[in-house]
Amino acid sequence: MILGEGGMAVVYKVWQPELERWVAVKKCKNPQDIPAFHKEAKLMAALKHPALAQIHALQHDELTMEFIEGDTLRNTTIDSNRLLEQLLDVLEYLHGEDVILKDLKPENIMILPNQTVKVLDLGIAKRIHEGTQLLLKGVGSEFYAPPEQYGHGTTDQRSDFYSLGATLYFCETREDPPPAWERLSKGTPLKTNNPLIEKLTQLKAQDRPENVQAIRQFLRPIPKKERPRPAEVSLRRTGSFPQSGLLAWNDEGLWVANQSLTNLHTRESFGKNLQPVRLVGSGQRLALACKDQLVVKDRGQWTQQKLKLKDLALFPQDLLLLSNHLVLREAGRRFATGWGRRYLLCAADDTRVAAGGPALKVWDRGGAPLWESSEACHALTFHGPFLFAVQKTGVVLLQAETGQRLTQIHTGPTKQIHLSDRHLIAIHDQQVSLWDYRQGQQL
């Protein structure tokens, strides 16, 4: 069964009886195109993201890859905000890998039954509807290619943002936008009232957002008069998010604030109804411990698992989970067996694991105990060679490797703490305070 055909290859749906599965097999049509065909295959194999099809094998003129059950955006619908969120995730990943997609369009976006998005064809324009589009070899498709892909400037990641805006236009109107060359030569307007689409489809690359972070900032600008001050921020749950300062949850979903708490803005809408008891995040991974389940977002893909947890923490490429045992989820290593009931919270960095509650104990990455203390604590955070512990008297700074008490930074009731390079964010009852922990001064 033929799934699609492009200028370079034909894609078939094939049954593999040995593995009892369907796969997609892309067969190169012309021998002279095999070097380019292999180049695309190697690029796809090097990329690992849930929104990209996985490669199984390459044999001369045939590429075997994951078969994706669903339909293209051309033939089905999806909420534009949900589409945008997932496309931003995959573009952020690709641009971080120095890859420019160059051909984002409805035919290359697969919508799965659960409304998950998959991006197809890195570098090959696929002719699904013969005659509906002019295929521009090497530059993308007529309605979705920016002016620079016609030779009007240099192609960079902002070129993908033009295609993203054009794709969102199609998602909202179910019509192809006017081609960039027509907008340039005839002054044909792009009829939309969506300010994001207008921004993304600017004809000059320098007028478009510079990166995905700039797009996210554009989505929710907050006027100065509405920006919450530190003493006014009311957050239900908080967690560390080193790249942006603070990850938090309230009744509107997941939020991110910068380190000075002067720009609090929505980052994720998925968590709106989850009511997490604990949340952590770093890079492209978020994890939430809810009442009876663990919810994880890893490189754009949300997963849920039934699990009762007291606490969780991020470990390099893994999750540290605390229930009646303290374990690494993916590696399966147990740090505390049986008497994990003593602990109420946990923390981790690249080399150490800690658990606290009525007592405090620290292990190295391999599971060997480093030290323990009988002093109770109700919040823990590693930072470099230090361990910050919230105890009854306030926030205490400890030597992470030995447990030596170095100083007390803050006195008084504190619920949680979060750290940047030199600042400590302390969460109190309905208040947030910011400290320079090296100087011991409140800012």
Side-chain angles (χ1 to χ4, degrees), residues 237-397:
R237 290 288 184 271
T238 59
S240 61
F241 200 85
Q243 291 185 341
S244 301
L246 178 68
L247 177 69
W249 177 88
N250 67 8
D251 291 335
E252 295 186 42
L254 295 175
W255 296 67
V256 172
N258 64 15
Q259 293 174 2
S260 61
L261 298 179
T262 57
N263 186 16
L264 192 66
H265 60 91
T266 296
R267 178 75 172 245
E268 297 282 352
S269 59
F270 184 88
K272 191 170 184 177
N273 300 313
L274 291 177
Q275 300 186 357
V277 296
R278 181 80 164 101
L279 57 157
V280 292
S282 179
Q284 296 192 39
R285 175 181 262 191
L286 302 176
L288 297 82
C290 304
K291 183 180 179 181
D292 295 310
Q293 63 179 330
L294 170 66
V295 182
V296 178
K297 180 184 181 186
D298 194 356
R299 294 192 178 278
Q301 186 73 42
W302 286 101
T303 59
Q304 294 170 275
Q305 175 185 355
K306 279 197 169 184
L307 194 62
K308 289 187 177 182
L309 292 174
K310 298 178 185 176
D311 200 6
L312 78 165
L314 288 175
F315 205 60
Q317 308 302 317
D318 210 338
L319 276 176
L320 181 68
L321 307 179
L322 176 62
S323 55
N324 287 334
H325 306 286
L326 183 64
V327 301
L328 289 182
R329 183 180 70 158
E330 295 168 7
R333 183 184 303 133
R334 292 193 176 192
F335 290 88
T337 304
W339 47 288
R341 296 177 179 85
R342 290 182 58 189
Y343 301 121
L344 303 175
L345 62 145
C346 61
D349 66 1
D350 289 350
T351 59
R352 290 171 293 261
V353 166
L360 171 61
K361 188 168 183 175
V362 177
W363 296 261
D364 67 16
R365 184 172 181 173
L370 294 177
W371 57 272
E372 58 183 302
S373 168
S374 59
E375 288 194 59
C377 63
H378 60 268
L380 289 170
T381 300
F382 282 106
H383 191 69
F386 307 118
L387 177 63
F388 292 78
V390 177
Q391 299 178 341
K392 186 175 181 180
T393 56
V395 182
V396 176
L397 180 63

Side-chain angles (χ1 to χ4, degrees), residues 376-379 389-396 405 408-417 424-429 431 433 435 442:
C377 63
H378 60 268
V390 177
Q391 299 178 341
K392 186 175 181 180
T393 56
V395 182
V396 176
R405 183 179 177 128
Q408 182 156 325
I409 300 168
H410 168 61
T411 57
T414 304
K415 289 188 172 181
Q416 296 183 46
I417 53 172
L424 181 145
I425 303 170
I427 312 295
H428 318 286
D429 287 325
Q431 283 191 331
S433 62
W435 293 73
Q442 184 173 355

Side-chain angles (χ1 to χ4, degrees), residues 168-234:
L168 292 174
Y169 178 91
F170 173 83
C171 185
E172 292 192 353
T173 67
R174 307 307 297 178
E175 296 179 357
D176 292 313
W181 63 263
E182 184 178 307
R183 296 176 61 198
L184 277 170
S185 61
K186 300 181 181 180
T188 305
L190 186 68
K191 297 178 182 179
T192 179
N193 295 320
N194 187 317
L196 177 63
I197 294 176
E198 289 180 347
K199 185 68 174 174
L200 293 173
T201 56
Q202 290 294 308
L203 294 173
K204 294 181 180 180
Q206 60 265 32
D207 293 334
R208 298 176 216 143
E210 185 176 352
N211 50 41
V212 170
Q213 184 179 3
I215 296 175
R216 287 185 170 129
Q217 290 281 36
F218 182 85
L219 286 171
R220 192 180 175 89
I222 296 183
K224 290 183 178 179
K225 65 180 181 180
E226 296 179 12
R227 291 180 180 173
R229 305 305 303 166
E232 301 170 341
V233 179
S234 178

Side-chain angles (χ1 to χ4, degrees), residues 10-21:
V10 182
V11 183
Y12 300 90
K13 181 181 179 181
V14 176
W15 175 253
Q16 283 187 333
E18 305 87 358
L19 299 175
E20 298 183 345
R21 67 178 180 181

